[in-house]
Every structure is written in C-alpha cells, then in structure tokens.
Amino acid sequence: MRNKILTAGVGLAVLVTMTCASFATDDATKKKTVTSQKYVDDIAATKQTKLSAQGGDYAVIYPNSENNEADGAVTARPIINYIEDADYEGELITAGAVKTALDAKQDRIDGNSTLNGKVITYTGTVGQTGTRDVYNDSNSYSGQTGALVAAEHVNAGIANGFNAHLTCNAWEGNYTAQTDPTGEHCLTYSVNTLSGTYMPENQ
C-alpha cells in the first residue's frame, strides 16, 4: 500500500511539472515564432499612430475624406476658455466661454412699425433701453409735447413765434407789411400778447 501511495504522489508531481513546463514552453515558442513581413504590415496597418502629448487642451480631429486625407492622419485643434484668447486660427471654444461673452452683450433690440422712427434711450437698468418719440409735423402739437424736436422744427417754431408776437411799427424806406412780410427791413417792433402754439403741425 505504501508503495502505491508513493507511486501516485510521484505521478502527480510529474504531471504538475509537465503541465507547468508546457505553459512555459508555449510562451517561449510564441516569442520565437517567425512570421512574414506582409503579416506584420497588415497588422500594423490596422493600428493608429500613437498620439503625441500636447501642452494644454486639444481636440483630435478625424481625417477629412472630402480632402482626401488618409485614414489615421488625425489633426488637432486647441480648446480655449476665453474669447479674448482667440487668434482666428481655428480654435474651439468652450460653452462656458461663449456664455460669459454673451452675458456681456446687449440683447437684440426689437423693431416693428410701432417703434419705427423712435429714438432709443438709456435706462437705469443694465441691458434695458427705452424709447422717445421724435416730433412729427404731420400730427398735432398737443399730442407730442414730450417728443424730441429736430432742428428744423425748432427753427420754424422760433420764426413763427417771432412773427406772431412782434408787430413792425416802422419800415426802412418805402417798405410796408405788404412789401416786407418777413420784417427784414423793419426798424421798430412792438410785442404782442405771448400766447398760442407756433410749432409747425399738420403740414
């Protein structure tokens, strides 16, 4: 019985030793196996060239088939975080940088027939604007007392005011009210009652 146990133990040790040797032999065989140049070239052709390290953040760009760029010929574009860093060389910018830049911009000002011809004014709130009407001599003055006035309307109002409030008492030479309606040759004036509206309207 003792001999049988000893024999079985020796057999098991030999089997384990042979199995371990078999694996070691396989690994060594693979390392020493000779292959063809074509096989190596075919395998290498399916691999991507190792990307080189870059200082900073970059996005890898696929080859462009429309430009006949070869497979694996990747390029890169820098990623920037601030609008002011852009030098218009094709950088990619983050969404956060775009939002920061947009937050500093004025919202688009609406345009419609109701606002047409109005003047935009500042308000006390950042990013908000107001409007003011511009005097229109085709409408009545009474409805436009808060409107901004063009220089031509100011001049017309002053001229109308002078003509209405002043009466010429004496003309130069032989001039009269009929021959000198603008008062260009008037020597003396008297002031009339100061009342009425003299801005041009409904013209």
Side-chain angles (χ1 to χ4, degrees), residues 4-155:
K4 292 181 178 180
I5 295 174
L6 180 61
T7 303
V10 172
L12 180 61
V14 171
L15 177 61
V16 171
T17 302
M18 291 178 61
T19 302
C20 293
S22 175
F23 282 111
T25 302
D26 287 343
D27 289 342
T29 302
K30 290 179 180 178
K31 292 180 181 180
K32 295 179 181 180
T33 300
V34 178
T35 187
S36 67
Q37 179 69 45
K38 182 179 183 306
Y39 177 81
V40 175
D41 290 344
D42 289 346
I43 293 297
T46 65
K47 304 299 181 181
Q48 173 66 51
T49 302
K50 184 183 292 185
L51 300 178
S52 60
Q54 298 280 3
D57 295 327
Y58 286 80
V60 178
I61 308 300
Y62 273 94
N64 189 333
S65 60
E66 295 179 359
N67 295 337
N68 296 319
E69 295 176 354
D71 290 344
V74 298
T75 55
R77 286 189 179 185
I79 299 173
I80 58 177
N81 296 308
Y82 302 97
I83 290 288
E84 55 268 22
D85 291 342
D87 58 10
Y88 307 102
E89 293 295 333
E91 299 97 340
L92 304 177
I93 192 163
T94 61
V98 173
K99 183 180 184 303
T100 299
L102 291 177
D103 286 345
K105 300 298 181 181
Q106 173 69 49
D107 290 337
R108 186 173 64 178
I109 298 172
D110 292 332
N112 53 56
S113 58
T114 303
L115 297 173
N116 186 33
K118 294 180 181 291
V119 173
I120 298 174
T121 60
Y122 280 102
T123 67
T125 303
V126 175
Q128 293 186 6
T129 58
T131 60
R132 289 288 296 273
D133 292 325
V134 176
Y135 183 78
N136 184 352
D137 62 0
S138 297
N139 300 329
S140 63
Y141 170 79
S142 60
Q144 303 184 82
T145 56
L148 302 177
V149 185
E152 60 179 325
H153 295 146
V154 173
N155 291 338

Side-chain angles (χ1 to χ4, degrees), residues 166-171 180 183 185-190:
L166 299 176
T167 299
C168 183
N169 294 325
W171 279 269
D180 184 27
H185 298 278
C186 182
L187 297 178
T188 61
Y189 289 92
S190 62

